Amino acid sequence: KNGCLNSYQPSDYVLAYANRANAYLGKGDTNNAMNDANAAVHGAPTYPGGYSARADVYRAKGDFDLAVIDDTTAIALAPKYSGLWRWGPLAAVYADRARALEGKGDRDRALADYNEAIRLDPNYARAYVLRANIHSAKGDRDHAIGDFSEAIRLNPKFGYAYNARGNNYYAKGDYDRALADYNDAIRIEPGMVDAMRNRGLVYAKKGDRSAAITAFGEAITANPNFVPAFEGRAESYVQTGDFDHA
């Protein structure tokens, strides 16, 4: 999360704590990440970046209530800073708070935060994907497809968005568009086993058992521990009468 501070810039050591907290979190070390995030907050209590960093740690630990509190504090302090601050654009903090709200099961408030993130930054592809996930979870396939499509327009290399949009086409029974999206997801991310397995599901729905078995096999080759691919292939073998392989 890059940007610049105005005259409210905290000391370099506070920025270092916030940045190191992020680095620790990237390594999965939530204990040291929390220690550094706390140091950033205590070193500059009016700096939103410290609270945002600590919220990231809370969210990673599953402490969603505390994550929401810290992201809310960061949002409240943000007007003291011009445009972007050192820890990221305000739109990203709204999206982060939305993720914590989702963790609490509060989809409506999360949706409102994603809406605000997109209002603040209409080119924020990740926010469209996250909002689309909520629409999808609520069964609103058309709005989900619309948001995934916008994310893909903004970032044509967003493999996850293709796969997720394909899932919504699949749920609507539009298997041709689903297959096209799964193909694109695999083209962009050749190791995406979810898309490989999903492609197998489409072939099965279309009655092409041989292609389905091949697709499930590709997913198994990519990840020999991916149980859903084994299940899909076994079902396809059963449908072809090949009970020995099933």
Side-chain angles (χ1 to χ4, degrees):
K1 301 175 181 179
N2 297 317
C4 58
L5 287 166
N6 63 5
S7 59
Y8 288 89
Q9 179 174 339
S11 63
D12 287 342
Y13 87 90
V14 169
L15 298 178
Y17 275 123
N19 287 331
R20 192 170 69 175
N22 190 44
Y24 277 130
L25 190 58
K27 296 170 60 178
D29 186 347
T30 55
N31 289 331
N32 279 316
M34 181 61 74
N35 289 337
D36 278 357
N38 281 331
V41 169
H42 297 152
T46 61
Y47 172 51
Y51 295 95
S52 178
R54 191 169 66 180
D56 287 345
V57 182
Y58 281 134
R59 191 166 44 254
K61 292 166 65 71
D63 294 335
F64 300 117
D65 287 328
L66 293 176
V68 169
I69 290 171
D70 270 357
D71 277 330
T72 300
T73 301
I75 289 168
L77 291 171
K80 294 182 179 181
Y81 290 77
S82 60
L84 300 178
W85 74 70
R86 171 77 170 153
W87 202 247
L90 184 56
V93 184
Y94 273 102
D96 286 343
R97 186 173 70 176
R99 290 167 57 210
L101 288 167
E102 282 191 83
K104 288 164 51 69
D106 193 342
R107 288 177 179 166
D108 290 337
R109 288 178 63 198
L111 186 60
D113 269 1
Y114 288 135
N115 289 341
E116 181 63 10
I118 290 168
R119 186 191 69 81
L120 290 168
D121 184 0
N123 296 317
Y124 190 9
R126 178 170 166 269
Y128 286 101
V129 163
L130 293 170
R131 187 172 71 176
N133 286 336
I134 290 187
H135 289 314
S136 182
K138 296 174 74 169
D140 188 348
R141 305 296 177 186
D142 291 334
H143 279 104
I145 289 169
D147 273 353
F148 285 128
S149 296
E150 183 62 15
I152 290 167
R153 185 189 70 80
L154 292 167
N155 180 6
K157 299 296 185 181
F158 208 150
Y160 173 88
Y162 282 102
N163 184 54
R165 187 175 69 176
N167 291 340
N168 282 273
Y169 279 132
Y170 181 90
K172 285 169 62 73
D174 192 341
Y175 301 125
D176 290 336
R177 286 183 176 175
L179 182 59
D181 272 355
Y182 297 143
N183 287 338
D184 278 334
I186 294 166
R187 173 181 56 80
I188 294 166
E189 296 186 31
M192 189 183 291
V193 293
D194 281 339
M196 295 176 190
R197 177 253 189 175
N198 292 338
R199 187 162 64 179
L201 294 176
V202 170
Y203 284 131
K205 281 288 188 182
K206 291 164 72 71
D208 191 342
R209 301 296 174 184
S210 176
I213 290 168
T214 298
F216 290 130
E218 289 171 347
I220 291 166
T221 299
N223 182 356
N225 297 314
F226 191 46
V227 174
F230 283 99
E231 294 173 340
R233 187 171 68 175
E235 178 63 23
S236 293
Y237 278 132
V238 169
Q239 293 298 323
T240 62
D242 186 350
F243 299 104
D244 291 334
H245 283 99

